[in-house]
Amino acid sequence: MQLKVPEHQVAGHIAKDGKPGPLVDDKGRFFKPLQGDSRGENEVKFYESFATNTEVPDHIRRFFPVYHGTQAVEGSDGAAMIVLENLLADYSKPSVMDVKMGSRTWYPDASEEYVQKCLKKDTDTTTASAGFRISGFEVYDHKESSFWKPERKLLRGLKVDGARLTLRKFVSSNSLSDMGSKPDSAFVSSVYGGSNGVLTQLLELKTWFENQTLYHFNSCSILMVYENESILKGNDDDARPQVKLVDFAHGNDDDARPQVKLVDFAHVLDGNGVIDHNFLGGLCSFINFLRDILQSPDESAES
Ligand SMILES: O=P(O)(O)O[C@@H]1[C@@H](OP(=O)(O)O)[C@H](OP(=O)(O)O)[C@H](O)[C@H](OP(=O)(O)O)[C@H]1OP(=O)(O)O
Ligand SMILES: Nc1ncnc2c1ncn2[C@@H]1O[C@H](COP(=O)(O)OP(=O)(O)O)[C@@H](O)[C@H]1O
């Protein structure tokens, strides 16, 4: 089995100080190392419970990576890995964003030290104020024909206006690395809008969260992705780029294939019959941000 480091991982742990990081194979699988201090175990427990839980509606399962069990992986010194569907396997030039949901990232029964560490990050970022924070993203830069990923430090410093601007940049064809410039929001309707777009998917998820009391998704992320291969820019450099969507492989127009998934279940707890207000509140807020961008894509945003 040929394993390699994922090309487009945008957040989370990576191989460091002798600890393994995630790997992918060429068969569409993503291997996530089992993390220590019960996080790995807890994540496995969630995936096993979720896979067999008959109360989870089928249409909701598509928002979660398919789980293929655990496996000791040779290429990673025999470390035990959680084997998941590689969510990016079918994308050739993906733009990806990881958005950590909730207005708090600590969970009941966490140690005081851990709560304090999370609280600091939550108040320093948009978690406490907006109910979510952008943990990481990578966009395909159409001008440079390459991927651009901001440093973590830069994202940690984002306030609400910066997060709003970043959500515009994520669907823009210009000014990616220049954090101060105005994004053109060229792909906003193809990615955030439409009957298969991000907003529609988030609203479906929200309907479930308004009722589900099975799990509490502490510190869990929404992973948004879309395909750039099919997005063609017009040649008129002076004008706002004309964007046409063409999918060469399938001959379809409008095929940015926006996808919304949930990832990172290391801190999921039983819902015990109680609505997950923390995740739901963050989701509602995130939906409002995207709705505002869709409604006024040309509005100039301040950084
Ligand atoms: O160590 P840090 O400060 O980078 O925090 C990690 C988070 O990074 P971030 O706050 O987004 O920059 C990291 O967040 P991302 O996955 O990068 O969104 C995780 O929350 C990680 O905890 P866990 O693996 O989910 O248990 C977090 O690790 P722990 O602090 O819980 O060990
Ligand atoms: N199933 C998956 N397929 C593809 N990429 C994934 C998958 N799960 C996670 N990732 C990538 O790895 C990053 C970190 O994942 P996460 O589960 O949050 O790890 P950690 O527990 O180390 O924070 C995500 O932001 C995303 O880029």
Side-chain angles (χ1 to χ4, degrees):
M1 177 170 51
Q2 269 298 59
L3 293 173
K4 55 179 190 165
V5 173
E7 276 175 81
H8 306 291
Q9 182 179 345
V10 293
H13 299 92
I14 52 169
K16 206 171 141 195
D17 302 332
K19 286 192 184 161
L23 295 168
V24 289
D25 69 8
D26 54 7
K27 296 190 176 64
R29 291 182 304 178
F30 182 93
F31 296 76
K32 177 174 173 175
L34 255 98
Q35 294 169 345
D37 64 12
S38 78
R39 287 169 204 210
E41 260 171 54
N42 201 53
E43 188 154 28
V44 169
K45 196 176 124 197
F46 166 75
Y47 272 116
E48 305 253 322
S49 155
F50 188 81
T52 53
N53 194 330
T54 52
E55 290 181 59
V56 176
D58 284 346
H59 70 100
I60 289 302
R61 292 192 181 277
R62 75 176 172 107
F63 292 109
F64 292 77
V66 176
Y67 171 65
H68 298 291
T70 59
Q71 194 177 315
V73 172
E74 267 177 44
S76 203
D77 292 339
M81 308 279 238
I82 302 175
V83 188
L84 301 169
E85 162 195 13
N86 178 2
L87 301 171
L88 305 185
D90 293 336
Y91 291 79
S92 64
K93 289 188 172 50
S95 284
V96 189
M97 182 179 281
D98 180 311
V99 185
K100 195 186 282 277
M101 305 306 293
S103 55
R104 56 154 177 82
T105 56
W106 50 272
Y107 53 95
D109 295 336
S111 70
E112 186 54 28
E113 191 191 353
Y114 188 77
V115 171
Q116 290 308 323
K117 180 178 152 178
C118 289
L119 261 177
K120 173 149 179 34
K121 281 196 271 186
D122 294 352
T123 44
D124 285 353
T125 63
T126 58
T127 287
S129 49
F132 65 87
R133 72 171 175 259
I134 297 171
S135 276
F137 76 97
E138 184 181 85
V139 272
Y140 183 69
D141 188 324
H142 286 257
K143 234 179 208 155
E144 304 289 331
S145 300
S146 63
F147 291 93
W148 181 73
K149 183 155 69 172
E151 278 180 30
R152 241 176 199 222
K153 218 172 102 192
L154 198 145
L155 290 177
R156 280 273 183 94
L158 287 181
K159 300 299 172 208
V160 170
D161 282 345
R164 191 175 288 119
L165 180 64
T166 305
L167 289 170
R168 286 180 189 280
K169 292 206 169 206
F170 185 61
V171 290
S172 290
S173 70
N174 69 331
S175 62
L176 299 171
S177 52
D178 179 0
M179 289 305 268
S181 63
K182 189 184 164 193
D184 62 21
S185 301
F187 314 135
V188 68
S189 54
S190 351
V191 177
Y192 293 158
S195 56
N196 297 317
V198 167
L199 189 59
T200 302
Q201 296 179 50
L202 291 175
L203 288 169
E204 192 176 342
L205 205 52
K206 177 176 158 256
T207 303
W208 184 59
F209 269 92
E210 280 165 349
N211 294 294
Q212 80 84 18
T213 58
L214 303 170
Y215 305 104
H216 283 187
F217 291 88
N218 302 298
S219 200
C220 186
S221 289
I222 281 178
L223 200 73
M224 290 197 284
V225 53
Y226 69 91
E227 175 61 64
N228 286 276
E229 180 82 339
S230 49
I231 296 181
L232 289 182
K233 212 162 58 147
N235 290 328
D236 185 356
D237 282 339
D238 297 331
R240 181 191 154 110
Q242 292 174 357
V243 174
K244 193 161 186 278
L245 292 171
V246 179
D247 178 1
F248 293 110
H250 305 96
N252 296 330
D253 274 3
D254 297 333
D255 202 354
R257 292 193 288 131
Q259 181 176 226
V260 166
K261 297 279 180 177
L262 296 187
V263 295
D264 201 355
F265 308 107
H267 305 295
V268 172
L269 297 176
D270 279 349
N272 291 324
V274 177
I275 297 277
D276 185 355
H277 294 287
N278 184 49
F279 190 101
L280 177 60
L283 183 57
C284 291
S285 168
F286 187 54
I287 284 172
N288 284 339
F289 273 67
L290 296 193
R291 201 178 258 145
D292 284 353
I293 292 172
L294 261 166
Q295 277 167 2
S296 48
D298 289 327
E299 193 177 278
S300 68
E302 300 114 47
S303 50

